[in-house]
Amino acid sequence: MQLATVNRRRAMLAVLALQSGCGVQPLSPLPITRASAPEPGQPLLRRPLVGQWWRYRKLNFFNSQLLGVDEEVVASITPSIDIQRANGGSALADERHAVWGMLIRDSAWDYPMTFETPVPLWPATLAVNARAAIRTQYRMDGGSIRHWIEVSTVATSWERLKVAAGEFDALRVERLIRLEHHDHLRAWTTRRDLMWLAPEVGRWVARETSGQYVLRGENRFWESQSSEDRIRWELTAWH
């Protein structure tokens, strides 16, 4: 009888585990339709001013879990454009631009990176097929070691999408990032950064990031491929 009871319990746990697994739902695709390209010379990207802010909900792409609410505020515009960031009242690393759209400090990933040469976050021209590419070096906070990084940026299309903050015509911008990670056990780190840049908002209304790398095993051979967290930010409010 005891063995039968144990088997029944194991069967029940297996069913519960299966149901739990089935309950994990990845994020649904954003509601996107094709948008017409604006007239030549338009639109102008809203320029940053001190006090402007954006609020995003941060979501895990694989299970739709809400990871928090990120708030971003323009704290200064000279000598650089400084975006102060927080999540749930806790301060995050800031983001810094030499000019709007040219990063000198990126805080969107696993650790902040400060670049020797500004890196394009989006193309200087808001037009389909506009491109930018650079190879430079970066340092971690408090570090003196320089690591290489390559960033390629391209605008692919105008699209209209709906998020909690409303509906927007936005330029779809795709970035491919290759870098030397500070963790010597990681190699061939490749990241993909997709954003929808809305001129009237002056920033993205949605953004998705992901990454992959190869991990060195105990025998010192490159033996396993791993993934970084896949994240989506969706605009909920802005001013």
Side-chain angles (χ1 to χ4, degrees):
M1 292 293 294
Q2 290 181 347
L3 180 59
T5 300
V6 170
N7 287 339
R8 284 198 297 272
R9 287 177 178 173
R10 287 177 176 173
M12 291 176 64
L13 289 173
V15 170
L16 290 173
L18 180 61
Q19 291 175 343
S20 176
C22 292
V24 175
Q25 296 293 331
L27 280 178
S28 300
L30 289 166
I32 294 173
T33 57
R34 182 73 68 173
S36 300
E39 295 295 325
Q42 296 293 330
L44 297 176
L45 185 66
R46 185 179 74 151
R47 64 189 182 94
L49 297 173
V50 173
Q52 288 177 351
W53 58 265
W54 304 265
R55 185 177 299 127
Y56 299 91
R57 60 176 185 163
K58 182 180 180 180
L59 301 161
N60 184 309
F61 203 96
F62 295 106
N63 60 14
S64 303
Q65 178 185 3
L66 178 65
L67 301 176
V69 176
D70 285 1
E71 297 186 354
E72 305 182 343
V73 180
V74 179
S76 64
I77 58 174
T78 184
S80 61
I81 301 167
D82 190 11
I83 308 297
Q84 291 186 347
R85 305 171 60 246
N87 184 302
S90 298
L92 301 173
D94 65 338
E95 174 184 300
R96 200 168 299 133
H97 301 235
V99 295
W100 200 217
M102 293 296 292
L103 287 173
I104 51 179
R105 177 178 165 91
D106 190 354
S107 57
W109 306 90
D110 53 350
Y111 57 87
M113 296 179 287
T114 298
F115 306 114
E116 288 192 345
T117 304
V119 168
L121 185 56
W122 54 75
T125 302
L126 301 189
V128 174
N129 293 325
R131 299 174 182 270
I134 193 170
R135 179 183 174 100
T136 186
Q137 294 180 317
Y138 74 90
R139 291 179 292 104
M140 297 174 58
D141 286 357
S144 59
I145 299 176
R146 291 173 171 80
H147 305 278
W148 64 264
I149 184 170
E150 295 178 342
V151 181
S152 298
T153 304
V154 59
T156 60
S157 59
W158 284 96
E159 297 179 339
R160 185 167 184 82
L161 69 160
K162 184 177 181 179
V163 293
E167 292 190 33
F168 302 91
D169 285 346
L171 185 63
R172 180 187 178 107
V173 177
E174 301 178 8
R175 303 171 76 226
L176 177 64
I177 303 168
R178 296 187 178 92
L179 71 146
E180 177 188 23
H181 199 274
H182 76 93
D183 183 351
H184 71 280
L185 295 180
R186 288 178 51 161
W188 297 298
T189 299
T190 301
R191 292 170 170 168
R192 298 186 183 279
D193 186 2
L194 172 61
M195 69 184 70
W196 286 266
L197 182 66
E200 64 184 288
V201 174
R203 200 158 170 83
W204 53 81
V205 294
R207 183 178 184 182
E208 297 176 359
T209 61
S210 60
Q212 290 185 323
Y213 58 93
V214 177
L215 189 64
R216 189 198 304 267
E218 293 182 359
N219 58 6
R220 310 296 290 176
F221 290 103
W222 304 113
E223 61 178 27
S224 63
Q225 185 162 347
S226 299
S227 297
E228 297 180 327
D229 292 338
R230 188 173 181 185
I231 303 297
R232 179 193 288 169
W233 287 267
E234 297 178 1
L235 186 70
T236 61
W238 59 290
H239 174 74

